[in-house]
Amino acid sequence: MNMLKKTNKSLNISSNTHRLLFKPQYFNINHKFFSSKSTEPSVYDQLGGEAAINAVVDSFYKKVLADDLVNSFFKGIDMEKQAIKQKSFIAFACGGPNNYKGKDMVKGHAHMAIEDKHFDEIVKLLVDTLKEFKVPDELIGKVGAKLLPLRKVIVNTHI
């Protein structure tokens, strides 16, 4: 939980930027929101590319399925297909290739009663997994900066 708070603080988003980040078009996965035009290597490349993301997601889902707070969201789900979607989503969100074929974030989570505590647990499990893979805190913060803004569309008990 400390990493989540540290990551959240490191975002330092102004109120105007915050409003821009949460425009609905930014949550259509094909939108340029996730693209990176920096000369710095993308977060995807810094993580180690496809092989690293695949390994992280596989380990992450083992934790998710063992966690009583969030595993119920995955009952009856083909986890092999889910992992493929998650791998391509995280790759694209982090500046890698756009191979994501899943639903946009609103449609993909609308049928679930996801609360902040569920989102926080998923973030915690992802951070724990990244730490197990020896990802530096600074890079974990960059992953968080890409994914944490999705809270507003994934947490849907406020709708």
Side-chain angles (χ1 to χ4, degrees):
M1 211 57 160
N2 286 341
M3 193 58 199
L4 174 62
K5 289 180 182 177
K6 187 185 289 185
T7 301
N8 241 351
K9 287 180 185 175
S10 71
L11 292 178
N12 194 15
I13 298 173
S14 73
S15 61
N16 286 336
T17 303
H18 179 34
R19 276 189 227 106
L20 289 174
L21 284 175
F22 296 114
K23 286 188 173 186
Q25 68 265 28
Y26 290 128
F27 300 103
N28 176 334
I29 192 63
N30 294 318
H31 198 276
K32 64 186 175 190
F33 174 72
F34 291 116
S35 68
S36 174
K37 296 193 183 326
S38 172
T39 56
E40 178 180 325
S42 68
V43 172
Y44 172 81
D45 289 328
Q46 291 177 58
L47 286 169
E50 180 180 6
I53 287 177
N54 288 348
V56 166
V57 170
D58 289 340
S59 180
F60 164 73
Y61 272 127
K62 288 177 185 170
K63 289 175 182 52
V64 168
L65 293 175
D67 189 295
D68 290 336
L69 183 60
V70 293
N71 64 10
S72 63
F73 292 109
F74 298 92
K75 283 194 168 62
I77 299 292
D78 180 336
M79 289 307 294
E80 192 172 314
K81 287 182 182 177
Q82 177 65 25
I84 290 168
K85 287 190 283 187
Q86 184 74 313
K87 290 169 184 178
S88 62
F89 172 75
I90 289 179
F92 180 53
C94 290
N98 180 6
N99 296 321
Y100 183 73
K101 304 286 188 243
K103 298 175 183 174
D104 70 39
M105 294 297 104
V106 174
K107 290 177 185 169
H109 297 91
H111 65 285
M112 302 177 210
I114 299 174
E115 300 175 32
D116 282 311
K117 67 182 180 182
H118 301 121
F119 187 90
D120 292 343
E121 187 67 10
I122 291 292
V123 169
K124 177 191 169 300
L125 295 171
L126 180 58
V127 167
D128 290 349
T129 305
L130 291 169
K131 285 183 176 280
E132 282 179 16
F133 279 83
K134 309 283 189 245
V135 175
D137 287 349
E138 180 182 343
L139 190 50
I140 291 173
K142 289 179 181 180
V143 172
K146 298 287 188 181
L147 301 177
L148 285 175
L150 297 174
R151 174 187 298 272
K152 289 287 187 187
V153 296
I154 291 174
V155 173
N156 56 32
T157 54
H158 58 273
I159 298 174

